[in-house]
Amino acid sequence: MNFLITGGTGFIGSTMIKFLINQTNHSVLNIDKLTYAANIDSLKTVSNSPRYQFCQTDICNQTELATIIKSFRPDIVMHFAAESHVDRSINTPETFIKTNIIGTYTLLEMVLNYWQQLDSIHKEAFRFHHISTDEVYGDIEHPNDFCTELSPYRPSSPYSASKASADHLVRAWHRTYGLPVIITNCTNNFGPYQYPEKLIPLTILNAIRNMPIEVYGDGKQIRDWLYVEDHVRALYLVVTKGRIGETYNICGNNQYQNLEIIQMICDILALKRPGDYKQLITFINDRPGHDVRYALDRSKIEGELGWKPLESFYSSLYKTVNWYLNNY
């Protein structure tokens, strides 16, 4: 099949492309605007494959999108392209509105126009897969509660609000126009090639550079962590075997406080490069509107598709720390 991947030089998108090229026979067209978080090097191992193509474009550009889609004739569209850093969304929300909402709308319109012109066989087989986040569900107060696919949306930041908006648009295009869509909401990803503004790579790099490791508030905010390679296996299962119109939550069932994650990274680094990295931990003022806990229930994807992570949290964190040590 032909897979059109938006945002394919980003962290999760590039991992998805490497999976498709290395472990399937599908062809891939990667469209990406190449913003600050893009990393072309993450795809150097597959860039020469005859089944891989790249086109630099903005998903807000209707004319270019229409031309690309018509030429490539995708069987599956996987929509990764998004602004994703909460801190940046607080400082510059307009960028998130443009990319995550207007960009998703534009992509939906161009894909719908293409899909409506397909013959019945290709129309039936087509899928639009929107990759979203657990942050759309908002803060979870009770420690024993988990969000299911039916939980209400309560986004807190401009980032999560823009992703929630995109989710609603995707569902509306399915309900109103019949576009065959699937949505997945995932927890915090980590692994090699992640842009170092997110907690795990930022902690690793600051520690090895002997720079302060900043912790928001008391560091007791709880997140679930998902190794990116486990995530893309789940995404492939969902887009090829999942039910149209459905949402699937994807998580690692690895819930830790931010401070615990930082301390684990310091301990792993101390094994690799002896030193007292924990002395670099510095507590700073909390982020505005900082949610305390996110947590997903993954019963649906386990029950329907049989997916579970292959990696333990510690083994994947260890591999991630090791990768940054060897590549920065």
Side-chain angles (χ1 to χ4, degrees):
M1 293 184 290
N2 288 342
F3 278 70
L4 176 64
I5 307 291
T6 72
T9 59
F11 172 49
I12 305 174
S14 63
T15 309
M16 187 78 244
I17 289 173
K18 285 180 284 189
F19 175 90
L20 290 169
I21 296 299
N22 292 329
Q23 300 193 42
T24 77
N25 292 319
H26 305 308
S27 296
V28 176
L29 173 59
N30 170 17
I31 60 173
D32 198 297
K33 188 180 178 181
L34 296 183
T35 63
Y36 75 94
N39 187 348
I40 290 291
D41 287 343
S42 65
L43 290 166
K44 60 187 176 183
T45 59
V46 299
S47 60
N48 291 325
S49 169
R51 293 185 289 112
Y52 173 74
Q53 302 175 58
F54 171 71
C55 182
Q56 182 176 354
T57 192
D58 186 340
I59 58 170
C60 293
N61 189 319
Q62 289 191 13
T63 303
E64 288 188 4
L65 268 185
T67 301
I68 290 167
I69 291 170
K70 182 178 180 181
S71 174
F72 184 63
R73 297 187 60 79
D75 302 293
I76 290 175
V77 174
M78 299 186 77
H79 180 33
F80 292 88
E83 297 287 342
S84 66
H85 191 46
V86 174
D87 286 358
R88 288 179 184 268
S89 80
I90 294 170
N91 296 325
T92 56
E94 182 179 359
T95 305
F96 288 71
I97 303 303
K98 287 181 177 177
T99 299
N100 298 355
I101 302 178
I102 304 302
T104 299
Y105 157 73
T106 305
L107 180 64
L108 283 167
E109 278 290 86
M110 297 305 100
V111 168
L112 178 65
N113 291 340
Y114 163 76
W115 176 74
Q116 289 175 331
Q117 297 173 39
L118 293 175
D119 60 51
S120 58
I121 295 175
H122 287 90
K123 186 178 286 188
E124 179 74 18
F126 185 84
R127 299 289 184 273
F128 181 97
H129 183 179
H130 175 59
I131 290 81
S132 189
T133 172
D134 60 346
E135 296 194 34
V136 298
Y137 298 116
D139 206 5
I140 305 173
E141 295 182 3
H142 196 281
N144 294 323
D145 286 346
F146 294 83
C147 291
T148 72
E149 290 81 359
L150 299 177
S151 294
Y153 277 25
R154 297 187 301 121
S156 302
S157 69
Y159 161 61
S160 57
S162 68
K163 289 296 288 185
S165 299
D167 290 8
H168 291 318
L169 288 174
V170 173
R171 289 193 180 95
W173 260 243
H174 171 63
R175 179 69 180 266
T176 303
Y177 305 109
L179 186 68
V181 309
I182 300 176
I183 296 174
T184 51
N185 296 84
C186 70
T187 53
N188 282 25
N189 277 227
F190 69 99
Y193 291 103
Q194 189 171 28
Y195 188 77
E197 64 185 358
K198 302 299 177 74
L199 179 64
I200 287 178
L202 184 60
T203 298
I204 297 168
L205 295 179
N206 281 2
I208 63 180
R209 293 167 181 168
N210 200 37
M211 295 172 60
I213 302 172
E214 295 184 339
V215 181
Y216 280 127
D218 58 11
K220 293 184 179 180
Q221 304 86 2
I222 296 173
R223 300 293 183 265
D224 180 90
W225 295 90
L226 175 64
Y227 190 49
V228 67
E229 293 183 11
D230 280 322
H231 185 198
V232 301
R233 285 193 310 104
L235 296 177
Y236 185 70
L237 269 176
V238 168
V239 81
T240 55
K241 300 183 183 302
R243 290 182 290 140
I244 290 174
E246 294 293 321
T247 298
Y248 294 88
N249 285 342
I250 307 172
C251 67
N253 279 358
N254 301 306
Q255 290 192 54
Y256 294 99
Q257 295 179 357
N258 288 345
L259 184 58
E260 290 178 313
I261 295 292
I262 291 169
Q263 291 170 337
M264 276 190 270
I265 291 170
C266 290
D267 288 338
I268 294 171
L269 282 170
L271 294 174
K272 306 291 291 184
R273 293 185 182 182
D276 185 8
Y277 298 101
K278 291 179 182 177
Q279 68 173 341
L280 299 171
I281 295 174
T282 305
F283 293 90
I284 62 173
N285 291 335
D286 206 355
R287 182 168 67 198
H290 202 171
D291 290 333
V292 175
R293 178 174 175 260
Y294 302 134
L296 295 182
D297 181 332
R298 72 180 192 209
S299 301
K300 184 175 179 178
I301 191 172
E302 280 193 31
E304 289 190 14
L305 304 178
W307 176 86
K308 289 183 180 179
L310 294 178
E311 289 277 355
S312 73
F313 176 72
Y314 187 82
S315 68
S316 52
L317 183 63
Y318 187 93
K319 289 200 298 188
T320 301
V321 171
N322 206 45
W323 186 87
Y324 281 94
L325 280 172
N326 293 329
N327 289 276
Y328 277 85

